[in-house]
Amino acid sequence: MAADRGPLHILVIADRDWEHPQGGGSGALMRAYVARWLEWGHRITVVSSAFPGARGEDNRGALTFHRGGTLKTAVPHAFRRVRSGAGADADVALEMINGVFFFTPLWLRIPCVTCVQHLSAGAQYRHEFGRLGTPLGLVAETLPLRHLYADRPLVTVSEATAEALVAGGAPRSQIFVSYAGVEPEEFASVAKTPEPSLVHLGRLKRYKNIESILDALEAIEGARLDLVGEGDHRDALVREIERRGLTDRVTLHGFVDEGRKRELLGRAWVNVMASTAEGWGLSVTEAGACGTTSAAVAVGGLAESVQHERTGLLASGAEDLPDTVRRLIDDHDLRARLAAGARDRARELTWEVGAEQVLDRLREVRAEEGQQISPLRRLAGSDTGRAGGLAAAAMATNVIGLAVSIAFARLLGGDGYGSVAALVAAFLILAIPGQALQVAVARTISADRDNVTLDPRRLIRAFALATVAVAAASAVLREPLAAVIGVDGDPWAAAAVPTSACVWMLLSIERGVLQGTGHYRAVGLSLVAEGAARLVAGTALILAGLGVTGAFLGTGLSVAGVALAVLPLSTREMADGPVHGRGLRDIARGALVPLAALTLFAWLQNIDVIVVKHQALSDDAASSYAAASVAAKMVIWLSVGLGLFLLPEAARRARSGEDARPILARTLAIVAIVAVPMIVAYSVVGRQILEIVFGPDLGQAGGALPVLGLAMSMLACVYLAVQFLLGVGRVAFLLGLAAIAVVEPLALLVAAPNLTDIALTMLALTAVLAAGLVIPALQRAADTPVAEEAS
C-alpha cells in the first residue's frame, strides 16, 4: 500500500543504528522500518554515532549511513552532518529519540516526525548521573518536549509512553502509538536447558537495574543467567557478580548475532526485565516469539508488552521480582501456558503494519509543510519564549549596566565609584513606589482591561508638576540628603536622586500599561534603551567634568528620555478605554501591597551596599564590595525581566481559574540555568574578575563574590515568588519579608566590616526567605481569583 504513492527520500536521525553494538530495541525498530521502506522503493539516509569498525560514510545503494562521534556527542554530530549536506535532498525526516532529544525543531529545515522510544521521567538520568541526573533530565528531555516539540507529530511504541508524553506537555492528538513487533524469522523453537535458566537481553546500563535480576538468581538454587548485550555498566556488573559469588552461574555474552540471540532467548525458562524506564521492552516480544515467557517489573511499556497471567507475570516493584521469577520457575504448567500465550501474542505484532503507519505520518507532515509555523516563531510565541525574551532584554540591560560600572569605576576611581554605587542604591529604594504602580497597573489591566481608563495628558501634567516640586525640595535639602546617602562631597548628585525617582514613576506606569496589554517586546526594548542611554549620558557628563554628579545625572536623563519615547505607544493602548473606569487614583489605592513588597525587597537587595559604605575599613573596600554586588546581581536583573512577564500572566490565569504555577516553575528554571555557571565562575576566578573588569584596586571582595552570587541567586528566586504572589493576589508573604528586613541591617552591622562575613550573612537571610516563599508558592494551588483588596 505504502509503495503505491511514490518514493520518498527519508532522513533518519538517531544516536545509534541497528548495527551499533548497543543498538538495542531502538536499533531493531529502526532496522524493521528501514528494511520495509527500502523494499517499497524508498531511499534512506541514516545519521548516527560511530562504533569500532564503522565507516564514516557507507553507501549501500538506496541506503546510506553517515556515522561519527560517540553516543555522548550524537546530537552535535547529527547537527554538523546534516547541516554539512547529509541527506541534503531528503523529503522528510524521522528523528529517533532514545533518551536524548536532538532539538531538530531549532535547526532541521525539512518536515519531521519524532519517534520516542521512552521517557525516563528522570529515573534514567538519575541512575546514570546521580545528583546531576535531575537537572540534566530537565534540560535534555523535559524542557525540549514541553517547549520545542509541542506541535511536532510524535510516534511512540506504547500507551504508557504516550501518557508520559502528554504529561510532559505534548498534545494527545499529536501522538500515534504503533506497537513494536518481531520479524517472521525470529520465531524459533529451541530446546530448553535442563536446569532452571534466566535470560536478560538488552544494553548493560545502570537504569536497566540488572542487580535486581541478580537478586532473583540468588533466590533460585541452581539457576543460571545469560546476560546478552553490551554497555558501560558491564565492569560494575562484573564486580557485583564476583562480590555475590555468582561468577559460575552468570554468563556475559556481550553483543551476539541474530541466530545466537534467538538461541539464547529460546532455551531460557524465563526472560527477565527489571528496568526503571522502558518504552516497550522489545526483548519481551522477541522472547515470546522463541516460546519463552517473561517476568518484568511493571514500569512504562513493560506493563503492556507483558500481559499479566496471559504472556508472563508482572512484579509491582523490583523488590517483588525474585518471588515473581521463582513462581514461574517452580510452576511448570504455568510457565508452559504463559510461554504459549507469549508466542501467540508475538504473532499478533508485526513490523509490516508499524512501518506503514509511520510512513503515512511522514507523508502527512510533508503534505502539511506549507502550513507549518516556524519552530522559532512558535517558541517565541510560547510562555517560555516571551519570558525568555524579556529575560534576554534584562540580561542585555545588565551587560550594559556592567559596562556602565566598568566605565564609571575606571573614570572615577575607587572612591568615586563607591559614591555612585551608593547613589544608585538610594535611587533604587526611592524608585519602589513607581515599581509598585507598575505592578498595580499591569495586574489590573491584564485582569480587567475593559474597565481601565488612564488619561495620558493628565499623567504628564501631574508628573511634570510633581517633578518640579520634588526637584526644588531636593535642592534645598541636598546637604542632609548627601549625609544620609554617604556622599557628602556630592550634594547636587544626592539632590538628583528624588527627582530621578519621580520621573521613574511615569516610566513605570507606562511600562505597566504595556505589560498589561501584552506588549512585552516594547517593554524589553525600553529596558535596553534605558541602559544604553545611561551609559552614553553618564560617560559624556563625566568627561565634561561633572564627576560623580554627572555620572548619576545620566540615570535621570536616561529615564526621562525613555519615558518620552514610550509615551506614544502606551497612550495609544489606553485611547480606546471606557469613558468611566478605574483610573490611576483607583489603581494606586490597590498598589499598597506591591509598594510594601517591593520596598521591602529593594531594602533587602541594596541595604548591604549602604551598610558597607558606612562600615568598611576603607573607601577601596567599600568600592570593591559595590563592584562585587553589581556582578552578583546579574541574576537579579534576569529575574526582573522574567517578572515583567510572570506577574501579568499569573494575574490573567488566576483570574480565569487556571493554575499559574507552571509559569513560576519555568521562570525559576531559567534563573537556575543562568545562576549555576555564574556562581561556579565566581568561585574559581572571582577576584580576577573584579580586578580585570572593575580595576586592579577593586579585588578585595573576591572571596565574598561567590557567596554573594549565591545569595543574590536565591534573592532572584524570592523576587519571582513575590511577583507570582502579587499576581495571584496573596499578601501573607509580606510578614516574612518584613521580618527579614528588620533583621538584615542589624545582622550586617554585626558582620561588618569583614566583607565575606557580610556576604555570608546575606546568604543566610536569603536562604530563609527562599525556603519561606518559593516552596509554598510552588506547592499551593493557584485556584482563587485575584483578591480585590490586593488589586
Side-chain angles (χ1 to χ4, degrees), residues 406-418:
I406 296 170
F408 289 4
R410 293 189 177 276
L411 289 172
L412 299 172
D415 186 25
Y417 178 70

Side-chain angles (χ1 to χ4, degrees), residues 682-737:
Y682 290 168
S683 299
V684 177
V685 289
R687 185 181 184 92
Q688 292 88 328
I689 289 174
L690 292 179
E691 291 178 346
I692 293 172
V693 174
F694 296 96
D697 55 342
L698 295 183
Q700 296 180 45
L705 181 56
V707 180
L708 201 55
L710 182 56
M712 291 301 142
S713 298
M714 289 190 177
L715 200 57
C717 295
V718 169
Y719 180 82
L720 291 176
V722 167
Q723 293 290 306
F724 174 82
L725 294 169
L726 288 173
V728 299
R730 296 198 176 95
V731 299
F733 69 91
L734 286 175
L735 295 175
L737 282 178

Side-chain angles (χ1 to χ4, degrees), residues 459-789:
L459 286 177
I460 293 174
R461 286 198 299 269
F463 278 98
L465 291 173
T467 301
V468 171
V470 169
S474 299
V476 173
L477 299 172
R478 62 185 182 277
E479 297 292 346
L481 284 173
V484 171
I485 297 172
V487 288
D488 294 336
D490 300 284
W492 287 107
V497 172
T499 307
S500 300
C502 191
V503 180
W504 170 266
M505 189 173 292
L506 175 61
L507 176 58
S508 298
I509 293 171
E510 293 172 347
R511 282 175 173 160
V513 170
L514 297 178
Q515 280 181 264
T517 54
H519 284 76
Y520 298 119
R521 183 170 181 268
V523 175
L525 290 174
S526 75
L527 293 173
V528 176
E530 182 189 337
R534 182 188 172 205
L535 173 62
V536 173
T539 302
L541 291 173
I542 292 173
L543 294 176
L546 294 182
V548 170
T549 301
F552 183 75
L553 284 177
T555 297
L557 291 174
S558 66
V559 171
V562 174
L564 291 174
V566 169
L567 188 61
L569 178 57
S570 58
T571 300
R572 186 165 63 249
E573 282 301 319
M574 299 312 300
D576 296 329
V579 176
H580 300 290
R582 302 183 69 180
L584 181 61
R585 186 173 300 176
D586 293 330
I587 294 173
R589 292 192 188 102
L592 293 179
V593 171
L595 176 62
L598 295 175
T599 299
L600 290 170
F601 185 85
W603 176 271
L604 293 167
Q605 178 188 350
N606 295 294
I607 192 62
D608 61 323
V609 175
I610 295 177
V611 169
V612 171
K613 177 64 178 173
H614 285 279
Q615 298 294 319
L617 296 177
S618 66
D619 288 338
D620 281 348
S623 295
S624 178
Y625 186 90
S629 180
V630 169
K633 287 175 183 173
M634 287 180 62
V635 72
I636 293 283
W637 279 103
L638 174 71
S639 69
V640 169
L642 293 170
L644 294 173
F645 172 79
L646 173 62
L647 183 138
E649 291 299 318
R652 186 176 295 116
R653 297 185 192 198
R655 176 73 72 175
S656 63
E658 296 181 58
D659 187 355
R661 288 174 298 165
I663 308 175
L664 174 60
R666 291 169 196 151
T667 54
L668 289 171
I670 294 173
V671 167
I673 290 171
V674 173
V676 170
M678 180 192 78
I679 294 168
V680 171
Y682 290 168
S683 299
V684 177
V685 289
R687 185 181 184 92
Q688 292 88 328
I689 289 174
L690 292 179
E691 291 178 346
I692 293 172
V693 174
F694 296 96
D697 55 342
L698 295 183
Q700 296 180 45
L705 181 56
V707 180
L708 201 55
L710 182 56
M712 291 301 142
S713 298
M714 289 190 177
L715 200 57
C717 295
V718 169
Y719 180 82
L720 291 176
V722 167
Q723 293 290 306
F724 174 82
L725 294 169
L726 288 173
V728 299
R730 296 198 176 95
V731 299
F733 69 91
L734 286 175
L735 295 175
L737 282 178
I740 298 298
V742 170
V743 171
E744 183 181 32
L746 301 176
L748 292 174
L749 287 171
V750 172
N754 186 285
L755 302 184
T756 301
D757 288 346
I758 290 174
L760 287 170
T761 302
M762 289 291 292
L763 176 58
L765 294 171
T766 55
V768 172
L769 265 181
L773 269 67
V774 177
I775 296 174
L778 287 171
Q779 291 177 337
R780 195 175 300 158
D783 54 3
T784 57
V786 179
E788 289 299 324
E789 66 271 21

